[in-house]
Amino acid sequence: MSKTSIYRIIGEGGIRTLGSLLDYGALAKRCFRPLSHLTNSAGCENMGSGDARQRWADGVIRCKNESRRRNSFVRENQVDARVQPKNARAPVISVDEALARIVANVRRLPPREVALLDAVDRFAARDVSAGLSLPPFDNSSMDGYAVMAASCAIGTRLKVVGEQAAGPDRSLSIQPGEALRILTGAPLPAGADAVIMQEETEREGNEVLLKAEVRPGEFVRQRGGDVTEGQKLLAAGERVRTQTVALLAAQGMSSLQVGGEVQATVVSTGDELVAPGSPLRAGQIYESNSILLQTMLTNCGVDVVSVTHCQDRAEEIEAALRAGARCDVMVITGGVSVGAHDLVKPALAKIGATLDLWKVAVKPGKPFLFGRANECAVFGLPGNPISAFVTFLLFVRPAIFKLMGADDAELRLPESTARLRIAVHNDGARPHYVRGSLRHGSFTPVGLQESHALFGLSRSNALLLAPSGAEIAAGELVTVSTWE
Ligand code: AMP
Ligand code: MG
């Protein structure tokens, strides 16, 4: 797994690479403040509510109640964003190291053959080479007349000796002074080396008058001009896309060997959580991570076989984990932190799972854990929805793709270069994944950058990694990661 940084700034001095994520855990422990503390004088439409009231218009956030925040390093009228750790103690393991360990710990599932339609968004199990040249035969790209270019001066009249439509090859041929009526996609008759388009001719009974010059090869699609036999079309581990299956269908393929199907289970935990649709009592909140994670898993191409919610009771969690461990992947949410109600770790120990890592230097998402229960890859995501979202993208998605047979290059999130619209500062000890909106080459942080705050995430389509210590000015070029 590459240890390269995924964060770059292009400033006056060109591209600066801010180092490997491996280094971040060791960087200075400083205080910083939430990105919600953005100030801007733009006229704003109120879209939020609550004590950290947000105003947002034209991609700019303006937050009130500045005085509630301590350790503020942002001046009142500064267009800025800072992210603040509640606990400045940096966990030892970096995102890169965690990812490397996870990826090393999961094995590709055995491949299977699927119908081409079902191969989209899977990963090719082996290289695919062309068994057929494309086009398979010389053919016309126009409705017109197949001719010999050498006998085609403007004003020439040629004898029309027949017609070849797209379809079965009638094995026709022409001689000098002759033309064959031909339609798009039809095989070229023997002797012809060009096609004159219908619009440049005049039909006069049995003859056709040429009103334009004809060059050899004109409007002829050469056999093998697109793909030659034996040419590599798809590499093992490469994602199969809509365009790919179109090409494979054009090769005559109706199925493809792709990586194995991943079956997953989702287990959410928490006494305070209520299923959407049920009444909410004081102290309760609606359970939103199950639908988030189910959707993310499904979008990765995973078969989600069960979703279970557990109260914070050891036996209940243990039973759910024992059942879930029959899958290839188990994604647990909540209960992975250090509180007395965080029962996932002991429950995993009870079912005999090994814990490969716990706590990563990342914000949001620090209490993330990864382990194995026999063949099942176990991911414990923090309960806060944004932490669950970010750690899924950083750690669960690549592991799933590896199980599905993806090449290493496919494990990374897609990246784009964008101009940052609002300054982002991270004075904290952990790298911070800032959620924001990427539109027309601009990235704008959106909403309260705290791990429970779903509104901003709901408006986001990209993540900006602000490493510890980063001071990124508005207007700089940054690399952002996307997932859609
Ligand atoms: P935990 O990781 O269990 O300590 O939970 C951290 C925070 O996330 C708490 O505020 C929980 O109420 C919240 N939370 C935990 N699980 C969920 C969930 N499934 N859906 C929504 N919020 C959750
Ligand atoms: Mg909990």
Side-chain angles (χ1 to χ4, degrees), residues 268-270 272-273 285-290 293 309 312 333-339 341-342 367 381-385 451-452 454:
S268 63
T269 68
E272 74 282 25
L273 301 167
I285 61 167
Y286 284 118
E287 198 280 303
S288 57
N289 286 354
S290 295
L293 296 169
H309 181 70
D312 288 320
T333 167
V336 296
S337 201
V338 290
H341 296 275
D342 293 321
L381 314 190
N384 274 311
S451 56
H452 66 284
L454 266 168

PDB file of all heavy atoms in Angstrom, residues 268-270 272-273 285-290 293 309 312 333-339 341-342 367 381-385 451-452 454, ligand 1:
ATOM      1  N   SER A 268     -25.829  -2.318  14.775  1.00  0.00           N
ATOM      2  CA  SER A 268     -25.751  -1.022  15.461  1.00  0.00           C
ATOM      3  C   SER A 268     -26.028  -1.249  16.939  1.00  0.00           C
ATOM      4  O   SER A 268     -26.738  -2.196  17.311  1.00  0.00           O
ATOM      5  CB  SER A 268     -26.735  -0.024  14.853  1.00  0.00           C
ATOM      6  OG  SER A 268     -28.060  -0.462  15.025  1.00  0.00           O
ATOM      7  N   THR A 269     -25.452  -0.400  17.768  1.00  0.00           N
ATOM      8  CA  THR A 269     -25.621  -0.564  19.211  1.00  0.00           C
ATOM      9  C   THR A 269     -25.995   0.776  19.838  1.00  0.00           C
ATOM     10  O   THR A 269     -25.598   1.819  19.338  1.00  0.00           O
ATOM     11  CB  THR A 269     -24.312  -1.031  19.876  1.00  0.00           C
ATOM     12  OG1 THR A 269     -23.344   0.034  19.798  1.00  0.00           O
ATOM     13  CG2 THR A 269     -23.742  -2.274  19.210  1.00  0.00           C
ATOM     14  N   GLY A 270     -26.712   0.716  20.922  1.00  0.00           N
ATOM     15  CA  GLY A 270     -27.001   1.940  21.675  1.00  0.00           C
ATOM     16  C   GLY A 270     -28.397   1.955  22.263  1.00  0.00           C
ATOM     17  O   GLY A 270     -29.378   1.774  21.533  1.00  0.00           O
ATOM     18  N   GLU A 272     -29.902   4.482  23.408  1.00  0.00           N
ATOM     19  CA  GLU A 272     -30.591   5.742  23.133  1.00  0.00           C
ATOM     20  C   GLU A 272     -31.236   5.771  21.752  1.00  0.00           C
ATOM     21  O   GLU A 272     -31.889   6.743  21.393  1.00  0.00           O
ATOM     22  CB  GLU A 272     -29.594   6.913  23.259  1.00  0.00           C
ATOM     23  CG  GLU A 272     -28.577   7.067  22.121  1.00  0.00           C
ATOM     24  CD  GLU A 272     -27.409   6.095  22.164  1.00  0.00           C
ATOM     25  OE1 GLU A 272     -27.560   5.002  22.742  1.00  0.00           O
ATOM     26  OE2 GLU A 272     -26.356   6.404  21.580  1.00  0.00           O
ATOM     27  N   LEU A 273     -31.056   4.711  20.993  1.00  0.00           N
ATOM     28  CA  LEU A 273     -31.432   4.767  19.576  1.00  0.00           C
ATOM     29  C   LEU A 273     -32.786   4.130  19.310  1.00  0.00           C
ATOM     30  O   LEU A 273     -33.120   3.071  19.850  1.00  0.00           O
ATOM     31  CB  LEU A 273     -30.350   4.073  18.741  1.00  0.00           C
ATOM     32  CG  LEU A 273     -28.965   4.706  18.916  1.00  0.00           C
ATOM     33  CD1 LEU A 273     -27.892   3.820  18.342  1.00  0.00           C
ATOM     34  CD2 LEU A 273     -28.936   6.077  18.276  1.00  0.00           C
ATOM     35  N   ILE A 285     -32.629   9.353  20.395  1.00  0.00           N
ATOM     36  CA  ILE A 285     -32.447   9.898  19.037  1.00  0.00           C
ATOM     37  C   ILE A 285     -32.738   8.784  18.042  1.00  0.00           C
ATOM     38  O   ILE A 285     -32.725   7.594  18.404  1.00  0.00           O
ATOM     39  CB  ILE A 285     -31.019  10.457  18.799  1.00  0.00           C
ATOM     40  CG1 ILE A 285     -29.960   9.360  18.964  1.00  0.00           C
ATOM     41  CG2 ILE A 285     -30.728  11.634  19.709  1.00  0.00           C
ATOM     42  CD1 ILE A 285     -28.588   9.757  18.457  1.00  0.00           C
ATOM     43  N   TYR A 286     -32.996   9.168  16.827  1.00  0.00           N
ATOM     44  CA  TYR A 286     -33.255   8.157  15.812  1.00  0.00           C
ATOM     45  C   TYR A 286     -31.959   7.505  15.350  1.00  0.00           C
ATOM     46  O   TYR A 286     -30.919   8.169  15.254  1.00  0.00           O
ATOM     47  CB  TYR A 286     -34.004   8.766  14.617  1.00  0.00           C
ATOM     48  CG  TYR A 286     -35.460   8.992  14.928  1.00  0.00           C
ATOM     49  CD1 TYR A 286     -36.002  10.270  14.918  1.00  0.00           C
ATOM     50  CD2 TYR A 286     -36.287   7.914  15.245  1.00  0.00           C
ATOM     51  CE1 TYR A 286     -37.334  10.473  15.214  1.00  0.00           C
ATOM     52  CE2 TYR A 286     -37.625   8.114  15.553  1.00  0.00           C
ATOM     53  CZ  TYR A 286     -38.144   9.401  15.536  1.00  0.00           C
ATOM     54  OH  TYR A 286     -39.457   9.595  15.834  1.00  0.00           O
ATOM     55  N   GLU A 287     -32.071   6.259  15.059  1.00  0.00           N
ATOM     56  CA  GLU A 287     -30.918   5.457  14.625  1.00  0.00           C
ATOM     57  C   GLU A 287     -30.734   5.701  13.124  1.00  0.00           C
ATOM     58  O   GLU A 287     -31.613   5.368  12.321  1.00  0.00           O
ATOM     59  CB  GLU A 287     -31.220   3.977  14.922  1.00  0.00           C
ATOM     60  CG  GLU A 287     -29.996   3.088  14.942  1.00  0.00           C
ATOM     61  CD  GLU A 287     -29.532   2.695  13.572  1.00  0.00           C
ATOM     62  OE1 GLU A 287     -30.344   2.114  12.830  1.00  0.00           O
ATOM     63  OE2 GLU A 287     -28.380   2.968  13.228  1.00  0.00           O
ATOM     64  N   SER A 288     -29.614   6.303  12.774  1.00  0.00           N
ATOM     65  CA  SER A 288     -29.423   6.645  11.358  1.00  0.00           C
ATOM     66  C   SER A 288     -28.222   5.938  10.726  1.00  0.00           C
ATOM     67  O   SER A 288     -28.058   5.958   9.516  1.00  0.00           O
ATOM     68  CB  SER A 288     -29.255   8.164  11.206  1.00  0.00           C
ATOM     69  OG  SER A 288     -28.175   8.617  12.001  1.00  0.00           O
ATOM     70  N   ASN A 289     -27.405   5.306  11.534  1.00  0.00           N
ATOM     71  CA  ASN A 289     -26.200   4.700  10.941  1.00  0.00           C
ATOM     72  C   ASN A 289     -26.504   3.441  10.137  1.00  0.00           C
ATOM     73  O   ASN A 289     -25.791   3.133   9.182  1.00  0.00           O
ATOM     74  CB  ASN A 289     -25.180   4.339  12.031  1.00  0.00           C
ATOM     75  CG  ASN A 289     -24.492   5.570  12.569  1.00  0.00           C
ATOM     76  OD1 ASN A 289     -24.696   6.668  12.054  1.00  0.00           O
ATOM     77  ND2 ASN A 289     -23.702   5.404  13.609  1.00  0.00           N
ATOM     78  N   SER A 290     -27.538   2.704  10.539  1.00  0.00           N
ATOM     79  CA  SER A 290     -27.826   1.463   9.805  1.00  0.00           C
ATOM     80  C   SER A 290     -28.130   1.754   8.350  1.00  0.00           C
ATOM     81  O   SER A 290     -27.612   1.094   7.450  1.00  0.00           O
ATOM     82  CB  SER A 290     -29.038   0.735  10.403  1.00  0.00           C
ATOM     83  OG  SER A 290     -28.741   0.322  11.683  1.00  0.00           O
ATOM     84  N   LEU A 293     -24.931   2.941   6.559  1.00  0.00           N
ATOM     85  CA  LEU A 293     -23.951   1.884   6.277  1.00  0.00           C
ATOM     86  C   LEU A 293     -24.490   0.863   5.282  1.00  0.00           C
ATOM     87  O   LEU A 293     -23.757   0.386   4.416  1.00  0.00           O
ATOM     88  CB  LEU A 293     -23.527   1.211   7.583  1.00  0.00           C
ATOM     89  CG  LEU A 293     -22.791   2.170   8.529  1.00  0.00           C
ATOM     90  CD1 LEU A 293     -22.619   1.558   9.907  1.00  0.00           C
ATOM     91  CD2 LEU A 293     -21.440   2.582   7.939  1.00  0.00           C
ATOM     92  N   HIS A 309     -30.128  -4.261  15.338  1.00  0.00           N
ATOM     93  CA  HIS A 309     -29.832  -3.249  16.351  1.00  0.00           C
ATOM     94  C   HIS A 309     -29.826  -3.891  17.735  1.00  0.00           C
ATOM     95  O   HIS A 309     -30.711  -4.677  18.066  1.00  0.00           O
ATOM     96  CB  HIS A 309     -30.852  -2.101  16.328  1.00  0.00           C
ATOM     97  CG  HIS A 309     -30.512  -1.074  17.366  1.00  0.00           C
ATOM     98  ND1 HIS A 309     -29.404  -0.260  17.253  1.00  0.00           N
ATOM     99  CD2 HIS A 309     -31.056  -0.799  18.585  1.00  0.00           C
ATOM    100  CE1 HIS A 309     -29.307   0.501  18.320  1.00  0.00           C
ATOM    101  NE2 HIS A 309     -30.293   0.190  19.150  1.00  0.00           N
ATOM    102  N   ASP A 312     -27.478  -1.689  24.605  1.00  0.00           N
ATOM    103  CA  ASP A 312     -26.146  -1.820  25.210  1.00  0.00           C
ATOM    104  C   ASP A 312     -26.191  -2.903  26.292  1.00  0.00           C
ATOM    105  O   ASP A 312     -26.101  -2.622  27.500  1.00  0.00           O
ATOM    106  CB  ASP A 312     -25.706  -0.467  25.803  1.00  0.00           C
ATOM    107  CG  ASP A 312     -25.366   0.529  24.708  1.00  0.00           C
ATOM    108  OD1 ASP A 312     -24.754   0.143  23.710  1.00  0.00           O
ATOM    109  OD2 ASP A 312     -25.728   1.718  24.860  1.00  0.00           O
ATOM    110  N   THR A 333     -21.514  -0.518  14.560  1.00  0.00           N
ATOM    111  CA  THR A 333     -21.442   0.918  14.809  1.00  0.00           C
ATOM    112  C   THR A 333     -21.865   1.224  16.235  1.00  0.00           C
ATOM    113  O   THR A 333     -22.831   0.658  16.739  1.00  0.00           O
ATOM    114  CB  THR A 333     -22.281   1.719  13.783  1.00  0.00           C
ATOM    115  OG1 THR A 333     -22.417   3.042  14.265  1.00  0.00           O
ATOM    116  CG2 THR A 333     -23.646   1.149  13.586  1.00  0.00           C
ATOM    117  N   GLY A 334     -21.091   2.097  16.870  1.00  0.00           N
ATOM    118  CA  GLY A 334     -21.336   2.460  18.259  1.00  0.00           C
ATOM    119  C   GLY A 334     -20.683   1.462  19.200  1.00  0.00           C
ATOM    120  O   GLY A 334     -20.325   0.345  18.816  1.00  0.00           O
ATOM    121  N   GLY A 335     -20.472   1.917  20.436  1.00  0.00           N
ATOM    122  CA  GLY A 335     -19.982   1.009  21.468  1.00  0.00           C
ATOM    123  C   GLY A 335     -18.532   0.596  21.337  1.00  0.00           C
ATOM    124  O   GLY A 335     -18.122  -0.393  21.943  1.00  0.00           O
ATOM    125  N   VAL A 336     -17.752   1.335  20.524  1.00  0.00           N
ATOM    126  CA  VAL A 336     -16.345   0.943  20.360  1.00  0.00           C
ATOM    127  C   VAL A 336     -15.395   1.880  21.098  1.00  0.00           C
ATOM    128  O   VAL A 336     -14.190   1.769  20.966  1.00  0.00           O
ATOM    129  CB  VAL A 336     -15.925   0.865  18.864  1.00  0.00           C
ATOM    130  CG1 VAL A 336     -16.692  -0.215  18.157  1.00  0.00           C
ATOM    131  CG2 VAL A 336     -16.089   2.206  18.173  1.00  0.00           C
ATOM    132  N   SER A 337     -15.974   2.789  21.879  1.00  0.00           N
ATOM    133  CA  SER A 337     -15.110   3.741  22.570  1.00  0.00           C
ATOM    134  C   SER A 337     -14.730   3.203  23.949  1.00  0.00           C
ATOM    135  O   SER A 337     -14.687   1.987  24.145  1.00  0.00           O
ATOM    136  CB  SER A 337     -15.836   5.089  22.642  1.00  0.00           C
ATOM    137  OG  SER A 337     -14.907   6.109  22.853  1.00  0.00           O
ATOM    138  N   VAL A 338     -14.490   4.087  24.886  1.00  0.00           N
ATOM    139  CA  VAL A 338     -13.928   3.636  26.170  1.00  0.00           C
ATOM    140  C   VAL A 338     -14.930   3.695  27.335  1.00  0.00           C
ATOM    141  O   VAL A 338     -14.577   3.378  28.456  1.00  0.00           O
ATOM    142  CB  VAL A 338     -12.684   4.486  26.547  1.00  0.00           C
ATOM    143  CG1 VAL A 338     -11.527   4.185  25.634  1.00  0.00           C
ATOM    144  CG2 VAL A 338     -13.015   5.979  26.515  1.00  0.00           C
ATOM    145  N   GLY A 339     -16.174   4.070  27.050  1.00  0.00           N
ATOM    146  CA  GLY A 339     -17.156   4.214  28.131  1.00  0.00           C
ATOM    147  C   GLY A 339     -17.614   2.858  28.665  1.00  0.00           C
ATOM    148  O   GLY A 339     -17.385   1.809  28.059  1.00  0.00           O
ATOM    149  N   HIS A 341     -20.479   1.795  28.664  1.00  0.00           N
ATOM    150  CA  HIS A 341     -21.491   1.212  27.789  1.00  0.00           C
ATOM    151  C   HIS A 341     -20.917   0.772  26.452  1.00  0.00           C
ATOM    152  O   HIS A 341     -21.663   0.375  25.567  1.00  0.00           O
ATOM    153  CB  HIS A 341     -22.624   2.217  27.565  1.00  0.00           C
ATOM    154  CG  HIS A 341     -23.348   2.546  28.826  1.00  0.00           C
ATOM    155  ND1 HIS A 341     -24.374   1.778  29.316  1.00  0.00           N
ATOM    156  CD2 HIS A 341     -23.145   3.543  29.722  1.00  0.00           C
ATOM    157  CE1 HIS A 341     -24.792   2.300  30.467  1.00  0.00           C
ATOM    158  NE2 HIS A 341     -24.059   3.361  30.732  1.00  0.00           N
ATOM    159  N   ASP A 342     -19.628   0.889  26.299  1.00  0.00           N
ATOM    160  CA  ASP A 342     -18.990   0.492  25.045  1.00  0.00           C
ATOM    161  C   ASP A 342     -18.585  -0.978  25.135  1.00  0.00           C
ATOM    162  O   ASP A 342     -17.500  -1.327  25.598  1.00  0.00           O
ATOM    163  CB  ASP A 342     -17.795   1.401  24.742  1.00  0.00           C
ATOM    164  CG  ASP A 342     -18.252   2.823  24.444  1.00  0.00           C
ATOM    165  OD1 ASP A 342     -19.294   2.970  23.769  1.00  0.00           O
ATOM    166  OD2 ASP A 342     -17.603   3.773  24.892  1.00  0.00           O
ATOM    167  N   PRO A 367     -12.039   6.301  17.467  1.00  0.00           N
ATOM    168  CA  PRO A 367     -12.143   5.003  18.139  1.00  0.00           C
ATOM    169  C   PRO A 367     -12.306   3.799  17.199  1.00  0.00           C
ATOM    170  O   PRO A 367     -12.573   2.692  17.663  1.00  0.00           O
ATOM    171  CB  PRO A 367     -13.404   5.136  19.007  1.00  0.00           C
ATOM    172  CG  PRO A 367     -13.886   6.521  18.877  1.00  0.00           C
ATOM    173  CD  PRO A 367     -13.253   7.117  17.665  1.00  0.00           C
ATOM    174  N   LEU A 381     -17.078   0.801  13.919  1.00  0.00           N
ATOM    175  CA  LEU A 381     -17.061   2.230  13.596  1.00  0.00           C
ATOM    176  C   LEU A 381     -17.648   3.011  14.766  1.00  0.00           C
ATOM    177  O   LEU A 381     -18.602   2.563  15.393  1.00  0.00           O
ATOM    178  CB  LEU A 381     -17.895   2.528  12.344  1.00  0.00           C
ATOM    179  CG  LEU A 381     -17.716   1.635  11.118  1.00  0.00           C
ATOM    180  CD1 LEU A 381     -18.436   2.241   9.925  1.00  0.00           C
ATOM    181  CD2 LEU A 381     -16.259   1.434  10.797  1.00  0.00           C
ATOM    182  N   PRO A 382     -17.100   4.191  15.043  1.00  0.00           N
ATOM    183  CA  PRO A 382     -17.688   5.022  16.093  1.00  0.00           C
ATOM    184  C   PRO A 382     -19.146   5.307  15.775  1.00  0.00           C
ATOM    185  O   PRO A 382     -19.541   5.340  14.606  1.00  0.00           O
ATOM    186  CB  PRO A 382     -16.855   6.301  16.027  1.00  0.00           C
ATOM    187  CG  PRO A 382     -15.622   5.952  15.264  1.00  0.00           C
ATOM    188  CD  PRO A 382     -15.976   4.848  14.350  1.00  0.00           C
ATOM    189  N   GLY A 383     -19.932   5.519  16.832  1.00  0.00           N
ATOM    190  CA  GLY A 383     -21.367   5.717  16.621  1.00  0.00           C
ATOM    191  C   GLY A 383     -21.725   7.045  16.004  1.00  0.00           C
ATOM    192  O   GLY A 383     -22.746   7.168  15.321  1.00  0.00           O
ATOM    193  N   ASN A 384     -20.907   8.051  16.218  1.00  0.00           N
ATOM    194  CA  ASN A 384     -21.236   9.341  15.620  1.00  0.00           C
ATOM    195  C   ASN A 384     -21.313   9.186  14.099  1.00  0.00           C
ATOM    196  O   ASN A 384     -20.386   8.650  13.478  1.00  0.00           O
ATOM    197  CB  ASN A 384     -20.184  10.376  15.988  1.00  0.00           C
ATOM    198  CG  ASN A 384     -20.498  11.023  17.325  1.00  0.00           C
ATOM    199  OD1 ASN A 384     -21.618  11.462  17.549  1.00  0.00           O
ATOM    200  ND2 ASN A 384     -19.527  11.048  18.215  1.00  0.00           N
ATOM    201  N   PRO A 385     -22.401   9.642  13.515  1.00  0.00           N
ATOM    202  CA  PRO A 385     -22.624   9.345  12.093  1.00  0.00           C
ATOM    203  C   PRO A 385     -21.515   9.793  11.156  1.00  0.00           C
ATOM    204  O   PRO A 385     -21.192   9.086  10.207  1.00  0.00           O
ATOM    205  CB  PRO A 385     -23.937  10.078  11.785  1.00  0.00           C
ATOM    206  CG  PRO A 385     -24.643  10.146  13.094  1.00  0.00           C
ATOM    207  CD  PRO A 385     -23.575  10.290  14.128  1.00  0.00           C
ATOM    208  N   SER A 451     -18.554  15.573  14.644  1.00  0.00           N
ATOM    209  CA  SER A 451     -18.804  14.194  14.213  1.00  0.00           C
ATOM    210  C   SER A 451     -20.265  13.764  14.289  1.00  0.00           C
ATOM    211  O   SER A 451     -20.629  12.728  13.759  1.00  0.00           O
ATOM    212  CB  SER A 451     -17.932  13.238  15.016  1.00  0.00           C
ATOM    213  OG  SER A 451     -18.162  13.428  16.387  1.00  0.00           O
ATOM    214  N   HIS A 452     -21.113  14.565  14.940  1.00  0.00           N
ATOM    215  CA  HIS A 452     -22.531  14.195  15.006  1.00  0.00           C
ATOM    216  C   HIS A 452     -23.356  14.940  13.958  1.00  0.00           C
ATOM    217  O   HIS A 452     -24.528  14.654  13.783  1.00  0.00           O
ATOM    218  CB  HIS A 452     -23.096  14.552  16.389  1.00  0.00           C
ATOM    219  CG  HIS A 452     -23.106  16.033  16.624  1.00  0.00           C
ATOM    220  ND1 HIS A 452     -21.965  16.743  16.925  1.00  0.00           N
ATOM    221  CD2 HIS A 452     -24.100  16.941  16.544  1.00  0.00           C
ATOM    222  CE1 HIS A 452     -22.263  18.026  17.053  1.00  0.00           C
ATOM    223  NE2 HIS A 452     -23.553  18.174  16.811  1.00  0.00           N
ATOM    224  N   LEU A 454     -24.968  15.910  10.911  1.00  0.00           N
ATOM    225  CA  LEU A 454     -25.316  15.277   9.637  1.00  0.00           C
ATOM    226  C   LEU A 454     -25.705  16.256   8.539  1.00  0.00           C
ATOM    227  O   LEU A 454     -25.634  15.912   7.356  1.00  0.00           O
ATOM    228  CB  LEU A 454     -26.486  14.301   9.855  1.00  0.00           C
ATOM    229  CG  LEU A 454     -26.093  12.848  10.121  1.00  0.00           C
ATOM    230  CD1 LEU A 454     -27.303  12.049  10.606  1.00  0.00           C
ATOM    231  CD2 LEU A 454     -25.525  12.192   8.864  1.00  0.00           C
TER     232      LEU A 454
HETATM  233  P1  AMP B   1     -20.927   5.589  20.723  1.00  0.00           P
HETATM  234  O1  AMP B   1     -19.905   5.375  19.683  1.00  0.00           O
HETATM  235  O2  AMP B   1     -21.798   4.424  20.961  1.00  0.00           O
HETATM  236  O3  AMP B   1     -20.310   6.126  21.979  1.00  0.00           O
HETATM  237  O4  AMP B   1     -21.872   6.748  20.189  1.00  0.00           O
HETATM  238  C1  AMP B   1     -21.365   8.028  19.942  1.00  0.00           C
HETATM  239  C2  AMP B   1     -22.472   8.964  19.534  1.00  0.00           C
HETATM  240  O5  AMP B   1     -23.061   8.506  18.350  1.00  0.00           O
HETATM  241  C3  AMP B   1     -23.600   9.044  20.537  1.00  0.00           C
HETATM  242  O6  AMP B   1     -24.026  10.389  20.581  1.00  0.00           O
HETATM  243  C4  AMP B   1     -24.665   8.162  19.979  1.00  0.00           C
HETATM  244  O7  AMP B   1     -25.953   8.529  20.365  1.00  0.00           O
HETATM  245  C5  AMP B   1     -24.456   8.323  18.499  1.00  0.00           C
HETATM  246  N1  AMP B   1     -24.831   7.108  17.784  1.00  0.00           N
HETATM  247  C6  AMP B   1     -24.380   5.874  18.075  1.00  0.00           C
HETATM  248  N2  AMP B   1     -24.904   4.976  17.236  1.00  0.00           N
HETATM  249  C7  AMP B   1     -25.713   5.655  16.409  1.00  0.00           C
HETATM  250  C8  AMP B   1     -26.540   5.268  15.322  1.00  0.00           C
HETATM  251  N3  AMP B   1     -26.629   3.994  14.956  1.00  0.00           N
HETATM  252  N4  AMP B   1     -27.266   6.222  14.700  1.00  0.00           N
HETATM  253  C9  AMP B   1     -27.155   7.517  15.090  1.00  0.00           C
HETATM  254  N5  AMP B   1     -26.381   7.939  16.096  1.00  0.00           N
HETATM  255  C10 AMP B   1     -25.670   7.035  16.758  1.00  0.00           C
END
